[in-house]
């Protein structure tokens, strides 16, 4: 796994335009993106978290998240570079795809 790099300005604007159109919000006080996912019930929410967790392990890139019943709050940022990298964009896209 090569070391991630911070997004360039060009990469940022393209990626964030797409993700904000799908409900992701850009952090005000840190270089991160966040989104709240709401599912049908806890079983669905935790099942999604389980699938994402396996992907996170495969990517060696892990979300900051919390779950209350059928809601999962997610924040993505790359700690090793202190901000957004392509890994965050890839993970956000995978999360959206799995959430349907
Ligand atoms: N997840 C996230 N979100 N950012 C990182 O910089 C990161 C990670 N680094 N998962 C990985 C693990 C690193 O700590 C290990 C040692 O490879």
């Amino acid at each position: 796994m090569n070391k991630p790099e911070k997004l360039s300005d060009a990469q940022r604007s393209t990626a964030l335009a797409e993700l904000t159109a799908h409900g992701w919000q850009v952090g005000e006080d840190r270089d991160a993106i966040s989104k709240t996912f709401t599912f049908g019930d806890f079983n669905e929410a935790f099942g999604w978290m389980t699938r994402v967790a396996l992907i996170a392990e495969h990517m060696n890139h892990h979300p900051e998240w919390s779950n209350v019943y059928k809601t999962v709050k997610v924040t993505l940022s790359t700690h090793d570079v202190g901000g957004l990298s392509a890994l965050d964009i890839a993970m956000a896209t995978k999360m959206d795809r799995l959430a349907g």
Side-chain angles (χ1 to χ4, degrees), residues 20 22 27 30-32 36 49-50 53 61 70 86 92:
T20 51
H22 289 89
R30 67 179 282 211
D31 192 22
T36 299
M49 291 179 80
T50 303
H61 190 70
K70 61 183 181 177

Side-chain angles (χ1 to χ4, degrees), residues 6-80:
K6 251 188 172 178
L7 287 179
S8 68
D9 289 345
Q11 288 170 315
R12 255 182 100 83
S13 56
T14 308
L16 294 185
E18 175 69 16
L19 290 175
T20 51
H22 289 89
W24 289 89
Q25 293 183 321
V26 183
E28 284 166 16
D29 54 1
R30 67 179 282 211
D31 192 22
I33 50 172
S34 296
K35 181 171 180 179
T36 299
F37 291 85
T38 304
F39 297 90
D41 56 23
F42 173 74
N43 192 289
E44 228 185 277
F46 202 80
W48 178 83
M49 291 179 80
T50 303
R51 294 180 69 188
V52 171
L54 296 177
I55 291 168
E57 278 298 282
H58 180 72
M59 291 174 68
N60 189 33
H61 190 70
H62 302 83
E64 300 165 30
W65 52 4
S66 60
N67 161 245
V68 176
Y69 182 47
K70 61 183 181 177
T71 300
V72 184
K73 289 186 178 177
V74 175
T75 296
L76 298 175
S77 189
T78 304
H79 312 134
D80 291 346

